[in-house]
Amino acid sequence: MTNHAAGLRDRAHTFRSLHLPGRPLILPNAWDVASARLVEDAGAGAVATTSAGVAWARGAADGDRLDRERALRAVAEIARAVRVPVTADIESGYAPDPEGVAGTVRAVLAAGAVGVNIEDAAPRGTGRGPLRPAGEQAERIAAARAAADAAGVPLFVNARVDTFLRGAGGVDDTLERAAVYLAAGADGIFVPGTVDPGTIEELAGGIRAPLNVLAGPGAPPAAALAALGVARVSVGSAVAEAAYAVVHRAARELLGAGTYDAQTGGLAYGTLNELMRQDG
């Protein structure tokens, strides 16, 4: 086994061990090397990418608009820059068929990541959807699982169920899809689109795998989500949105009033520069 493969296996096992119902893995999603190092420096046990943030930073819209090569180049840069495990948001797999998803997973492993999110929402603008048929999505998940197994790496496959996010179903529909995806080889289930405590508790009780929820402003605190049985809490594009909001406010203020208030409270130049000097 190569050093790269051995290191991936070790990080993959570490990453798996962090998914504990009641003691969830907290993931402030990153989109570039600087944000990833800041997340690691804050004490995160792992770094998760946000597909939206990665796309925006590369001049593309989210929603399967960024090509696989550029998306995974960002993943590779992040994985090299941090010491903790990295999990990649690969949208719907950057491929039209299961064989292509398997190719994406092989590229993810080559980039140094040990987890993936794969969503079941049909790509917008294709005339399909809002979700792929569960059986079709199961084939894509099975292909991802097989590719990782063939590489000898216990990649954490986090199957995203977009029933709530896309208004395509409720708890029962979500549980049905979750069961199909777990049978196909998924390790965890990600259900964005609801932060209702009763719904989350029902999902956590009905899904026989770690449950990931999408939190952010207006959601219950992480401790409350932990008490409901959640094993992973991520915030998706929310941190990137907040960062870009500062840029927007500061630019508008400077070009309008000519003042600098929006720039106050920033990290010191020396702090950021030193963080970027560190070896990954």
Side-chain angles (χ1 to χ4, degrees):
M1 181 180 294
T2 66
N3 289 338
H4 177 75
L8 279 179
R9 286 192 66 179
D10 290 344
R11 288 195 296 277
H13 284 299
T14 296
F15 186 61
R16 284 175 170 273
S17 73
L18 298 175
H19 293 76
L20 299 173
R23 290 177 53 195
L25 172 62
I26 309 296
L27 295 170
N29 301 70
W31 61 95
D32 61 9
V33 168
S35 60
R37 285 194 167 174
L38 287 167
V39 167
E40 181 184 41
D41 186 66
V47 169
T49 67
T50 158
S51 66
V54 167
W56 297 335
R58 281 149 185 80
D62 189 30
D64 293 289
R65 301 296 181 90
L66 186 67
D67 63 89
R68 178 168 69 185
E69 182 180 355
R70 286 195 293 162
L72 294 186
R73 188 180 303 137
V75 173
E77 291 169 356
I78 289 170
R80 286 195 300 268
V82 298
R83 296 178 176 85
V84 296
V86 172
T87 183
D89 180 350
I90 60 171
E91 302 192 54
S92 60
Y94 299 122
D97 52 34
E99 291 76 14
V101 174
T104 297
V105 165
R106 288 190 287 270
V108 164
L109 295 174
V114 294
V116 292
N117 286 359
I118 305 177
E119 63 192 53
D120 62 1
R124 297 182 188 273
T126 61
R128 305 183 60 199
L131 306 183
R132 296 180 189 273
E136 178 183 319
Q137 182 67 4
E139 292 177 357
R140 298 168 71 84
I141 290 169
R145 174 84 283 141
D149 290 348
V153 178
L155 180 81
F156 193 99
V157 178
N158 202 31
R160 194 175 108 177
V161 184
D162 280 357
T163 41
F164 285 95
L165 192 65
R166 298 290 290 269
V171 170
D172 290 344
D173 304 283
T174 304
L175 294 178
E176 288 175 9
R177 282 181 172 264
V180 171
Y181 300 163
L182 292 171
D187 300 289
I189 300 296
F190 180 22
V191 185
T194 180
V195 292
D196 173 70
T199 300
I200 290 173
E201 187 172 31
E202 195 171 354
L203 291 171
I207 293 172
R208 304 306 177 199
L211 172 65
N212 179 188
V213 299
L214 182 68
L225 296 173
L228 296 172
V230 171
R232 176 166 161 177
V233 178
S234 51
V235 296
S237 60
V239 176
E241 291 167 10
Y244 288 130
V246 173
V247 176
H248 196 221
R249 286 197 301 272
R252 289 172 66 91
E253 179 191 0
L254 183 59
L255 294 169
T259 52
Y260 319 100
D261 292 344
Q263 301 173 44
T264 60
L267 287 172
Y269 170 90
T271 298
L272 284 168
N273 213 42
E274 184 59 33
L275 197 66
M276 300 309 293
R277 289 179 190 273
Q278 298 174 11
D279 292 329

